[in-house]
Amino acid sequence: MVATDATPSSGAAARHADRVALEEGPHRLTYAELDSAAATVAAALLAGRDDLAEERVAFLIPPSIDYAGVQRGVWRAGGIAVPLCTSHPPPELDYVLADAAPEVVVASPEYADLLRPLAAARGIAFRLTTELLDGAAGAAGALRKGSSAREVGDGGRGTVAAAALLAPERRAMIVYTSGTTGGPKGVVTTHGGLRAQIASLHQAWAWTSDDRILLTLPLHHVHGIVNVLGCALARGAACVVHAAFDAARVWDSFARDRLTLFMAVPTQYYRLIQAWEEADAAQRDAWSSAARRLRLMVSGSAALPARVLERFCEITGQVLLERYGMTETGMILGNPLDGERIAGTVGSPLPGVEVKLVDEGGVALEGDGEGEVWVRGPAVFREYWRRPEATAGAFHGDWFRTGDVARRAGGRYRLLGRSSVDILKTGGYKVSALEIEEALRAHPEVSDCAVVGLADEEWGERVAAAVVPAAGTAPSAQELRAFVKERLAAYKAPREVLLVDALPRNVLGKVEKPRVKALFARARPGAAGSPPR
């Protein structure tokens, strides 16, 4: 496996000092300037100390040059980075502050009024990014004043001391992930774990320092933090940053920014297709030509509908590479960089990752079959923050039990869903919600759908589908049921159908199944087939 610098080091800065690390609009930040910004942030956080000693630093910063400077500054000071979600309302932000108990919270100026009172109520110090980055020639603010990184030292931090604070066993980051029950859990990843995750992807996807990747993902989740920003900065590549996703702007970036890589969630690919179809012929040709020049496009964080993969390929010639991972493990499985990519599958284990399928009795399956995905390797997380019982329950020895069920055939894996959410038990049969969703999406009048199990005295769970109809259509429950029966066993056909305007999703585009169930609960009895109000 190739060596990598997942977290900031003077060695990485020295090797790539004059190369552009980050681009944000008209602004460019070199690796030397990023190193300077991290040193300045570290000095401000340390305030004369030698080590934050794994104190948490929470920050609410949109994707930006400032985000990278603060993140790496926290690490350089020996702290644990706790990224917050910019779209979360005050109660959700307050939950993380209560659970992580950070020493300090940092916010961009536009989020100061949101975060400052929450920090004050809990007696937590509050800092603005402008304060931490003041004087850092590598920071976005200083760049906009025309400063040079070489005017700023390391804030008194020696390179040996800084490197010691990035030891593999030290905690680096806490990312909060929602479970099926209870509040979100803080997933603790070490510096060694981050390096292992990034090294695996560098090898699997053949990253080089000449790569240029576009970041349009939020940076409170491993997809954006590790797969995009982390991989780019650890390889000496360039990361072009968009603070938010805009389909037309992304298409333009494919042409203008000489990109080689793009990673997104299925919802974003769907929106790119929509924007392309709404454009005129000349614009379509220009966008398609630009997209064809990229060497790799990846989809993840949610199941990629086969129809989206096929349509995007028709438009761009790009066969999206679908992969599978978790906050707790980094990426686990992936379709090949070179070789056939099969719609609906997530490929084979990635470098440095061990995977096995286990049946309900805890017995590992040999060869083809269905079972829960268990994972082990250096990339697996250390613990759930301050939840020893949850941590112990998530492992069997050194194997992490993902809770995801998959089918393996010929060495390739197809996800069937979460064992607690997407695997339904109806009439004595185990049914994959994802398999039914895939069948429903093939119907010409179905734009999108989500399948859940609703409590039923007779069946245990009855299969129910929330369906977003294609524009100008209103498919009936009977029609959709018959359509599924032509493709799957009769007991898998939905017994209840609810037409909805949109599916409830989180910021990464994942459908939130508990909220889907709530749509059915709010619908009037006998209202299947009509949209909720």
Side-chain angles (χ1 to χ4, degrees), residues 324-385:
Y324 157 69
M326 297 183 70
T327 306
E328 288 91 341
T329 62
M331 299 305 103
I332 299 170
L333 303 164
N335 273 284
L337 176 64
D338 300 310
E340 185 182 15
R341 301 172 193 168
I342 301 175
T345 70
V346 287
S348 304
L350 290 165
V353 181
E354 290 186 74
V355 176
K356 67 179 178 179
L357 293 184
V358 178
D359 66 17
E360 290 183 337
V363 177
L365 302 176
E366 300 295 335
D368 296 346
E370 295 181 8
E372 183 183 358
V373 179
W374 287 17
V375 182
R376 71 177 176 186
V380 175
F381 78 124
R382 172 168 171 165
E383 65 197 335
Y384 290 118
W385 179 247

Short mmCIF file of all heavy atoms in Angstrom, two decimals, residues 324-385:
data_model
loop_
_atom_site.label_atom_id
_atom_site.label_comp_id
_atom_site.label_asym_id
_atom_site.label_seq_id
_atom_site.Cartn_x
_atom_site.Cartn_y
_atom_site.Cartn_z
N TYR A 324 -19.12 1.44 -1.50
CA TYR A 324 -19.86 1.34 -0.25
C TYR A 324 -18.91 1.53 0.91
O TYR A 324 -17.81 0.97 0.94
CB TYR A 324 -20.54 -0.04 -0.19
CG TYR A 324 -20.86 -0.53 1.21
CD1 TYR A 324 -21.86 0.09 1.98
CD2 TYR A 324 -20.18 -1.62 1.75
CE1 TYR A 324 -22.16 -0.39 3.26
CE2 TYR A 324 -20.49 -2.11 3.02
CZ TYR A 324 -21.47 -1.48 3.77
OH TYR A 324 -21.77 -1.95 5.03
N GLY A 325 -19.35 2.33 1.87
CA GLY A 325 -18.56 2.53 3.07
C GLY A 325 -19.44 3.02 4.21
O GLY A 325 -20.65 3.20 4.05
N MET A 326 -18.83 3.26 5.34
CA MET A 326 -19.53 3.75 6.52
C MET A 326 -18.66 4.75 7.25
O MET A 326 -17.44 4.76 7.10
CB MET A 326 -19.87 2.59 7.47
CG MET A 326 -20.80 1.54 6.90
SD MET A 326 -21.20 0.28 8.12
CE MET A 326 -22.24 1.22 9.26
N THR A 327 -19.29 5.58 8.07
CA THR A 327 -18.55 6.51 8.90
C THR A 327 -17.57 5.75 9.78
O THR A 327 -16.44 6.20 10.01
CB THR A 327 -19.52 7.33 9.78
OG1 THR A 327 -20.49 7.96 8.95
CG2 THR A 327 -18.78 8.38 10.58
N GLU A 328 -17.99 4.58 10.27
CA GLU A 328 -17.15 3.81 11.19
C GLU A 328 -15.96 3.14 10.52
O GLU A 328 -15.02 2.74 11.22
CB GLU A 328 -18.01 2.73 11.87
CG GLU A 328 -19.00 3.25 12.88
CD GLU A 328 -20.36 3.57 12.28
OE1 GLU A 328 -20.44 3.74 11.04
OE2 GLU A 328 -21.34 3.67 13.04
N THR A 329 -15.99 2.98 9.23
CA THR A 329 -14.97 2.15 8.57
C THR A 329 -14.24 2.82 7.42
O THR A 329 -13.25 2.28 6.94
CB THR A 329 -15.62 0.88 7.99
OG1 THR A 329 -16.58 1.27 7.01
CG2 THR A 329 -16.30 0.07 9.09
N GLY A 330 -14.73 3.96 6.96
CA GLY A 330 -14.26 4.44 5.68
C GLY A 330 -14.83 3.57 4.58
O GLY A 330 -15.82 2.85 4.78
N MET A 331 -14.23 3.55 3.42
CA MET A 331 -14.76 2.78 2.31
C MET A 331 -14.40 1.30 2.47
O MET A 331 -13.29 0.95 2.85
CB MET A 331 -14.22 3.31 0.98
CG MET A 331 -14.61 4.77 0.71
SD MET A 331 -16.39 5.10 0.79
CE MET A 331 -16.54 5.88 2.41
N ILE A 332 -15.39 0.45 2.15
CA ILE A 332 -15.25 -0.99 2.35
C ILE A 332 -15.16 -1.74 1.02
O ILE A 332 -14.27 -2.56 0.81
CB ILE A 332 -16.45 -1.52 3.15
CG1 ILE A 332 -16.51 -0.85 4.53
CG2 ILE A 332 -16.36 -3.04 3.30
CD1 ILE A 332 -17.79 -1.14 5.29
N LEU A 333 -16.10 -1.48 0.13
CA LEU A 333 -16.21 -2.18 -1.14
C LEU A 333 -16.25 -1.16 -2.27
O LEU A 333 -16.70 -0.03 -2.09
CB LEU A 333 -17.49 -3.02 -1.19
CG LEU A 333 -17.69 -4.07 -0.10
CD1 LEU A 333 -19.14 -4.54 -0.06
CD2 LEU A 333 -16.75 -5.26 -0.33
N GLY A 334 -15.80 -1.58 -3.44
CA GLY A 334 -15.85 -0.67 -4.58
C GLY A 334 -15.79 -1.43 -5.90
O GLY A 334 -15.12 -2.46 -6.01
N ASN A 335 -16.52 -0.91 -6.89
CA ASN A 335 -16.38 -1.44 -8.24
C ASN A 335 -14.97 -1.12 -8.74
O ASN A 335 -14.31 -0.20 -8.24
CB ASN A 335 -17.44 -0.84 -9.15
CG ASN A 335 -18.73 -1.63 -9.12
OD1 ASN A 335 -18.83 -2.69 -9.71
ND2 ASN A 335 -19.73 -1.12 -8.40
N PRO A 336 -14.47 -1.81 -9.74
CA PRO A 336 -13.07 -1.64 -10.16
C PRO A 336 -12.82 -0.34 -10.91
O PRO A 336 -13.70 0.16 -11.62
CB PRO A 336 -12.83 -2.84 -11.07
CG PRO A 336 -14.18 -3.17 -11.63
CD PRO A 336 -15.15 -2.88 -10.52
N LEU A 337 -11.64 0.21 -10.73
CA LEU A 337 -11.21 1.35 -11.53
C LEU A 337 -11.09 0.91 -12.99
O LEU A 337 -11.56 1.61 -13.90
CB LEU A 337 -9.87 1.88 -11.02
CG LEU A 337 -9.26 3.02 -11.82
CD1 LEU A 337 -10.14 4.27 -11.76
CD2 LEU A 337 -7.85 3.34 -11.29
N ASP A 338 -10.46 -0.22 -13.19
CA ASP A 338 -10.33 -0.81 -14.52
C ASP A 338 -11.08 -2.13 -14.52
O ASP A 338 -10.77 -3.03 -13.74
CB ASP A 338 -8.86 -1.05 -14.87
CG ASP A 338 -8.05 0.25 -14.86
OD1 ASP A 338 -8.49 1.21 -15.50
OD2 ASP A 338 -7.00 0.26 -14.20
N GLY A 339 -12.05 -2.25 -15.37
CA GLY A 339 -12.85 -3.47 -15.39
C GLY A 339 -14.33 -3.13 -15.40
O GLY A 339 -14.73 -1.96 -15.34
N GLU A 340 -15.15 -4.16 -15.45
CA GLU A 340 -16.59 -3.97 -15.58
C GLU A 340 -17.21 -3.46 -14.28
O GLU A 340 -16.94 -3.99 -13.20
CB GLU A 340 -17.26 -5.29 -15.98
CG GLU A 340 -18.74 -5.17 -16.25
CD GLU A 340 -19.39 -6.50 -16.59
OE1 GLU A 340 -18.74 -7.55 -16.35
OE2 GLU A 340 -20.52 -6.50 -17.10
N ARG A 341 -18.06 -2.44 -14.42
CA ARG A 341 -18.83 -1.92 -13.29
C ARG A 341 -20.29 -2.29 -13.52
O ARG A 341 -20.88 -1.87 -14.52
CB ARG A 341 -18.66 -0.41 -13.17
CG ARG A 341 -17.20 0.01 -12.98
CD ARG A 341 -17.01 1.51 -13.06
NE ARG A 341 -15.59 1.82 -13.17
CZ ARG A 341 -15.10 3.03 -13.48
NH1 ARG A 341 -15.94 4.03 -13.70
NH2 ARG A 341 -13.80 3.22 -13.57
N ILE A 342 -20.84 -3.05 -12.59
CA ILE A 342 -22.19 -3.59 -12.77
C ILE A 342 -23.17 -2.79 -11.94
O ILE A 342 -22.99 -2.63 -10.72
CB ILE A 342 -22.24 -5.07 -12.37
CG1 ILE A 342 -21.25 -5.88 -13.23
CG2 ILE A 342 -23.65 -5.63 -12.51
CD1 ILE A 342 -21.14 -7.32 -12.82
N ALA A 343 -24.22 -2.27 -12.59
CA ALA A 343 -25.23 -1.49 -11.90
C ALA A 343 -25.84 -2.29 -10.76
O ALA A 343 -26.14 -3.48 -10.91
CB ALA A 343 -26.32 -1.05 -12.88
N GLY A 344 -26.00 -1.64 -9.61
CA GLY A 344 -26.62 -2.30 -8.47
C GLY A 344 -25.65 -3.05 -7.58
O GLY A 344 -26.02 -3.50 -6.49
N THR A 345 -24.39 -3.18 -8.00
CA THR A 345 -23.39 -3.84 -7.17
C THR A 345 -22.39 -2.80 -6.66
O THR A 345 -22.24 -1.73 -7.25
CB THR A 345 -22.63 -4.92 -7.94
OG1 THR A 345 -21.76 -4.31 -8.92
CG2 THR A 345 -23.58 -5.88 -8.64
N VAL A 346 -21.73 -3.17 -5.57
CA VAL A 346 -20.72 -2.27 -5.01
C VAL A 346 -19.34 -2.92 -5.03
O VAL A 346 -18.45 -2.54 -4.27
CB VAL A 346 -21.10 -1.84 -3.57
CG1 VAL A 346 -22.25 -0.86 -3.60
CG2 VAL A 346 -21.43 -3.04 -2.70
N GLY A 347 -19.16 -3.87 -5.92
CA GLY A 347 -17.84 -4.41 -6.19
C GLY A 347 -17.30 -5.35 -5.14
O GLY A 347 -18.03 -6.14 -4.54
N SER A 348 -16.00 -5.23 -4.90
CA SER A 348 -15.25 -6.15 -4.05
C SER A 348 -14.50 -5.37 -2.98
O SER A 348 -14.41 -4.14 -3.05
CB SER A 348 -14.26 -6.94 -4.91
OG SER A 348 -14.94 -7.61 -5.97
N PRO A 349 -13.93 -6.05 -1.97
CA PRO A 349 -13.21 -5.35 -0.90
C PRO A 349 -12.08 -4.48 -1.44
O PRO A 349 -11.34 -4.89 -2.33
CB PRO A 349 -12.68 -6.50 -0.04
CG PRO A 349 -13.67 -7.59 -0.23
CD PRO A 349 -14.06 -7.50 -1.69
N LEU A 350 -11.94 -3.31 -0.87
CA LEU A 350 -10.90 -2.37 -1.26
C LEU A 350 -9.57 -2.74 -0.60
O LEU A 350 -9.55 -3.53 0.36
CB LEU A 350 -11.32 -0.94 -0.87
CG LEU A 350 -12.47 -0.38 -1.71
CD1 LEU A 350 -13.07 0.85 -1.07
CD2 LEU A 350 -12.00 -0.07 -3.13
N PRO A 351 -8.44 -2.20 -1.07
CA PRO A 351 -7.14 -2.55 -0.50
C PRO A 351 -7.09 -2.31 1.00
O PRO A 351 -7.55 -1.28 1.50
CB PRO A 351 -6.18 -1.61 -1.24
CG PRO A 351 -6.85 -1.34 -2.55
CD PRO A 351 -8.32 -1.28 -2.23
N GLY A 352 -6.54 -3.27 1.73
CA GLY A 352 -6.36 -3.13 3.17
C GLY A 352 -7.60 -3.40 4.00
O GLY A 352 -7.58 -3.22 5.22
N VAL A 353 -8.70 -3.83 3.35
CA VAL A 353 -9.97 -4.06 4.04
C VAL A 353 -10.31 -5.55 3.97
O VAL A 353 -10.31 -6.14 2.89
CB VAL A 353 -11.11 -3.24 3.42
CG1 VAL A 353 -12.42 -3.47 4.16
CG2 VAL A 353 -10.76 -1.75 3.41
N GLU A 354 -10.61 -6.15 5.11
CA GLU A 354 -11.08 -7.54 5.17
C GLU A 354 -12.60 -7.54 5.37
O GLU A 354 -13.11 -6.81 6.22
CB GLU A 354 -10.42 -8.29 6.31
CG GLU A 354 -8.95 -8.60 6.11
CD GLU A 354 -8.43 -9.47 7.24
OE1 GLU A 354 -8.74 -10.68 7.26
OE2 GLU A 354 -7.71 -8.93 8.11
N VAL A 355 -13.29 -8.35 4.60
CA VAL A 355 -14.75 -8.41 4.65
C VAL A 355 -15.18 -9.86 4.73
O VAL A 355 -14.60 -10.74 4.08
CB VAL A 355 -15.38 -7.76 3.40
CG1 VAL A 355 -16.90 -7.92 3.41
CG2 VAL A 355 -15.01 -6.29 3.32
N LYS A 356 -16.20 -10.14 5.54
CA LYS A 356 -16.84 -11.45 5.51
C LYS A 356 -18.34 -11.28 5.70
O LYS A 356 -18.79 -10.28 6.28
CB LYS A 356 -16.26 -12.39 6.56
CG LYS A 356 -16.53 -12.03 8.01
CD LYS A 356 -15.91 -13.09 8.92
CE LYS A 356 -16.10 -12.77 10.40
NZ LYS A 356 -15.51 -13.81 11.29
N LEU A 357 -19.10 -12.23 5.18
CA LEU A 357 -20.54 -12.28 5.38
C LEU A 357 -20.84 -13.31 6.45
O LEU A 357 -20.29 -14.41 6.43
CB LEU A 357 -21.26 -12.65 4.08
CG LEU A 357 -21.18 -11.65 2.93
CD1 LEU A 357 -22.03 -12.14 1.75
CD2 LEU A 357 -21.63 -10.26 3.36
N VAL A 358 -21.74 -12.94 7.36
CA VAL A 358 -22.04 -13.79 8.51
C VAL A 358 -23.54 -14.02 8.57
O VAL A 358 -24.33 -13.08 8.44
CB VAL A 358 -21.55 -13.13 9.81
CG1 VAL A 358 -21.91 -13.98 11.02
CG2 VAL A 358 -20.05 -12.90 9.75
N ASP A 359 -23.96 -15.28 8.78
CA ASP A 359 -25.40 -15.57 8.85
C ASP A 359 -25.95 -15.23 10.23
O ASP A 359 -25.21 -14.77 11.12
CB ASP A 359 -25.68 -17.02 8.47
CG ASP A 359 -25.11 -18.04 9.46
OD1 ASP A 359 -24.77 -17.66 10.60
OD2 ASP A 359 -25.00 -19.22 9.10
N GLU A 360 -27.25 -15.46 10.42
CA GLU A 360 -27.89 -15.06 11.67
C GLU A 360 -27.34 -15.81 12.86
O GLU A 360 -27.46 -15.36 14.00
CB GLU A 360 -29.40 -15.27 11.56
CG GLU A 360 -30.07 -14.29 10.61
CD GLU A 360 -31.57 -14.47 10.56
OE1 GLU A 360 -32.06 -15.58 10.89
OE2 GLU A 360 -32.27 -13.50 10.21
N GLY A 361 -26.72 -16.94 12.63
CA GLY A 361 -26.12 -17.70 13.72
C GLY A 361 -24.69 -17.30 14.01
O GLY A 361 -24.03 -17.90 14.86
N GLY A 362 -24.16 -16.29 13.30
CA GLY A 362 -22.80 -15.84 13.51
C GLY A 362 -21.76 -16.65 12.78
O GLY A 362 -20.56 -16.52 13.04
N VAL A 363 -22.20 -17.49 11.84
CA VAL A 363 -21.27 -18.33 11.08
C VAL A 363 -20.89 -17.64 9.78
O VAL A 363 -21.76 -17.18 9.03
CB VAL A 363 -21.90 -19.70 10.78
CG1 VAL A 363 -20.96 -20.55 9.93
CG2 VAL A 363 -22.27 -20.41 12.07
N ALA A 364 -19.59 -17.57 9.52
CA ALA A 364 -19.11 -16.94 8.28
C ALA A 364 -19.48 -17.79 7.08
O ALA A 364 -19.36 -19.01 7.11
CB ALA A 364 -17.60 -16.74 8.35
N LEU A 365 -19.94 -17.12 6.02
CA LEU A 365 -20.36 -17.82 4.80
C LEU A 365 -19.16 -17.98 3.87
O LEU A 365 -18.39 -17.04 3.67
CB LEU A 365 -21.45 -17.04 4.10
CG LEU A 365 -22.72 -16.75 4.92
CD1 LEU A 365 -23.68 -15.88 4.11
CD2 LEU A 365 -23.41 -18.05 5.31
N GLU A 366 -19.04 -19.14 3.30
CA GLU A 366 -18.01 -19.38 2.29
C GLU A 366 -18.67 -19.30 0.91
O GLU A 366 -19.78 -19.76 0.71
CB GLU A 366 -17.39 -20.76 2.48
CG GLU A 366 -16.72 -20.96 3.84
CD GLU A 366 -15.51 -20.06 4.02
OE1 GLU A 366 -14.91 -19.65 3.00
OE2 GLU A 366 -15.16 -19.77 5.19
N GLY A 367 -17.98 -18.69 -0.04
CA GLY A 367 -18.53 -18.60 -1.39
C GLY A 367 -19.71 -17.66 -1.46
O GLY A 367 -19.83 -16.70 -0.71
N ASP A 368 -20.62 -17.94 -2.39
CA ASP A 368 -21.76 -17.06 -2.62
C ASP A 368 -22.80 -17.22 -1.51
O ASP A 368 -22.90 -18.29 -0.88
CB ASP A 368 -22.41 -17.37 -3.97
CG ASP A 368 -21.47 -17.09 -5.14
OD1 ASP A 368 -20.45 -16.41 -4.91
OD2 ASP A 368 -21.76 -17.55 -6.26
N GLY A 369 -23.58 -16.16 -1.30
CA GLY A 369 -24.63 -16.22 -0.29
C GLY A 369 -24.99 -14.85 0.23
O GLY A 369 -24.50 -13.83 -0.26
N GLU A 370 -25.89 -14.83 1.23
CA GLU A 370 -26.36 -13.58 1.83
C GLU A 370 -26.05 -13.58 3.32
O GLU A 370 -26.18 -14.60 3.99
CB GLU A 370 -27.87 -13.42 1.63
CG GLU A 370 -28.29 -13.25 0.18
CD GLU A 370 -29.80 -13.08 0.06
OE1 GLU A 370 -30.48 -12.95 1.10
OE2 GLU A 370 -30.30 -13.10 -1.08
N GLY A 371 -25.65 -12.43 3.82
CA GLY A 371 -25.37 -12.31 5.25
C GLY A 371 -25.02 -10.89 5.62
O GLY A 371 -24.96 -9.99 4.76
N GLU A 372 -24.80 -10.68 6.91
CA GLU A 372 -24.40 -9.36 7.39
C GLU A 372 -22.94 -9.11 7.06
O GLU A 372 -22.10 -10.03 7.16
CB GLU A 372 -24.62 -9.25 8.90
CG GLU A 372 -24.28 -7.87 9.46
CD GLU A 372 -24.40 -7.77 10.96
OE1 GLU A 372 -24.80 -8.77 11.60
OE2 GLU A 372 -24.09 -6.70 11.51
N VAL A 373 -22.62 -7.90 6.67
CA VAL A 373 -21.25 -7.52 6.33
C VAL A 373 -20.48 -7.22 7.61
O VAL A 373 -20.86 -6.34 8.38
CB VAL A 373 -21.23 -6.29 5.40
CG1 VAL A 373 -19.79 -5.91 5.07
CG2 VAL A 373 -22.02 -6.56 4.13
N TRP A 374 -19.38 -7.96 7.82
CA TRP A 374 -18.45 -7.68 8.91
C TRP A 374 -17.13 -7.21 8.31
O TRP A 374 -16.70 -7.71 7.27
CB TRP A 374 -18.23 -8.92 9.77
CG TRP A 374 -19.40 -9.28 10.65
CD1 TRP A 374 -20.69 -8.86 10.54
CD2 TRP A 374 -19.38 -10.17 11.77
NE1 TRP A 374 -21.47 -9.43 11.50
CE2 TRP A 374 -20.70 -10.23 12.28
CE3 TRP A 374 -18.37 -10.93 12.39
CZ2 TRP A 374 -21.03 -11.01 13.39
CZ3 TRP A 374 -18.70 -11.71 13.48
CH2 TRP A 374 -20.01 -11.74 13.98
N VAL A 375 -16.48 -6.26 9.00
CA VAL A 375 -15.28 -5.63 8.47
C VAL A 375 -14.20 -5.54 9.54
O VAL A 375 -14.50 -5.30 10.72
CB VAL A 375 -15.59 -4.19 7.97
CG1 VAL A 375 -14.35 -3.55 7.36
CG2 VAL A 375 -16.72 -4.20 6.97
N ARG A 376 -12.96 -5.70 9.13
CA ARG A 376 -11.85 -5.39 10.03
C ARG A 376 -10.68 -4.86 9.22
O ARG A 376 -10.59 -5.05 8.00
CB ARG A 376 -11.43 -6.60 10.85
CG ARG A 376 -10.71 -7.70 10.11
CD ARG A 376 -10.29 -8.80 11.07
NE ARG A 376 -9.66 -9.93 10.37
CZ ARG A 376 -9.31 -11.07 10.96
NH1 ARG A 376 -9.54 -11.24 12.26
NH2 ARG A 376 -8.75 -12.03 10.26
N GLY A 377 -9.78 -4.16 9.90
CA GLY A 377 -8.63 -3.56 9.25
C GLY A 377 -8.24 -2.27 9.94
O GLY A 377 -8.95 -1.78 10.83
N PRO A 378 -7.13 -1.68 9.57
CA PRO A 378 -6.62 -0.48 10.24
C PRO A 378 -7.49 0.75 10.05
O PRO A 378 -7.34 1.73 10.79
CB PRO A 378 -5.25 -0.28 9.60
CG PRO A 378 -5.34 -0.96 8.27
CD PRO A 378 -6.23 -2.14 8.49
N ALA A 379 -8.41 0.74 9.09
CA ALA A 379 -9.26 1.90 8.84
C ALA A 379 -10.47 1.96 9.76
O ALA A 379 -11.13 3.00 9.85
CB ALA A 379 -9.72 1.90 7.38
N VAL A 380 -10.78 0.87 10.45
CA VAL A 380 -11.99 0.81 11.29
C VAL A 380 -11.84 1.76 12.49
O VAL A 380 -10.75 1.88 13.08
CB VAL A 380 -12.25 -0.62 11.75
CG1 VAL A 380 -13.42 -0.69 12.72
CG2 VAL A 380 -12.51 -1.52 10.54
N PHE A 381 -12.94 2.38 12.86
CA PHE A 381 -12.93 3.39 13.91
C PHE A 381 -12.50 2.82 15.25
O PHE A 381 -12.51 1.61 15.49
CB PHE A 381 -14.30 4.05 14.02
CG PHE A 381 -15.36 3.24 14.75
CD1 PHE A 381 -16.02 3.79 15.85
CD2 PHE A 381 -15.73 1.96 14.33
CE1 PHE A 381 -17.00 3.07 16.51
CE2 PHE A 381 -16.71 1.24 14.98
CZ PHE A 381 -17.35 1.79 16.08
N ARG A 382 -12.18 3.70 16.17
CA ARG A 382 -11.69 3.29 17.49
C ARG A 382 -12.83 3.02 18.47
O ARG A 382 -12.82 2.04 19.21
CB ARG A 382 -10.77 4.37 18.07
CG ARG A 382 -10.35 4.14 19.51
CD ARG A 382 -9.23 5.09 19.89
NE ARG A 382 -8.95 5.05 21.32
CZ ARG A 382 -7.85 5.56 21.87
NH1 ARG A 382 -6.94 6.15 21.09
NH2 ARG A 382 -7.65 5.50 23.16
N GLU A 383 -13.84 3.91 18.48
CA GLU A 383 -14.90 3.81 19.48
C GLU A 383 -16.02 4.78 19.16
O GLU A 383 -15.84 5.71 18.36
CB GLU A 383 -14.34 4.16 20.86
CG GLU A 383 -13.89 5.63 20.94
CD GLU A 383 -12.97 5.94 22.10
OE1 GLU A 383 -13.03 5.22 23.10
OE2 GLU A 383 -12.19 6.91 21.99
N TYR A 384 -17.17 4.54 19.78
CA TYR A 384 -18.21 5.56 19.83
C TYR A 384 -17.92 6.43 21.05
O TYR A 384 -17.72 5.92 22.15
CB TYR A 384 -19.59 4.92 19.95
CG TYR A 384 -20.05 4.20 18.71
CD1 TYR A 384 -20.29 2.83 18.72
CD2 TYR A 384 -20.26 4.89 17.52
CE1 TYR A 384 -20.72 2.16 17.59
CE2 TYR A 384 -20.68 4.23 16.37
CZ TYR A 384 -20.91 2.86 16.41
OH TYR A 384 -21.32 2.21 15.29
N TRP A 385 -17.90 7.72 20.83
CA TRP A 385 -17.47 8.65 21.87
C TRP A 385 -18.31 8.47 23.14
O TRP A 385 -19.52 8.62 23.14
CB TRP A 385 -17.58 10.08 21.35
CG TRP A 385 -17.18 11.14 22.34
CD1 TRP A 385 -17.98 12.06 22.93
CD2 TRP A 385 -15.86 11.39 22.83
NE1 TRP A 385 -17.26 12.88 23.76
CE2 TRP A 385 -15.94 12.48 23.72
CE3 TRP A 385 -14.62 10.78 22.61
CZ2 TRP A 385 -14.84 12.99 24.39
CZ3 TRP A 385 -13.52 11.29 23.27
CH2 TRP A 385 -13.64 12.38 24.15
#
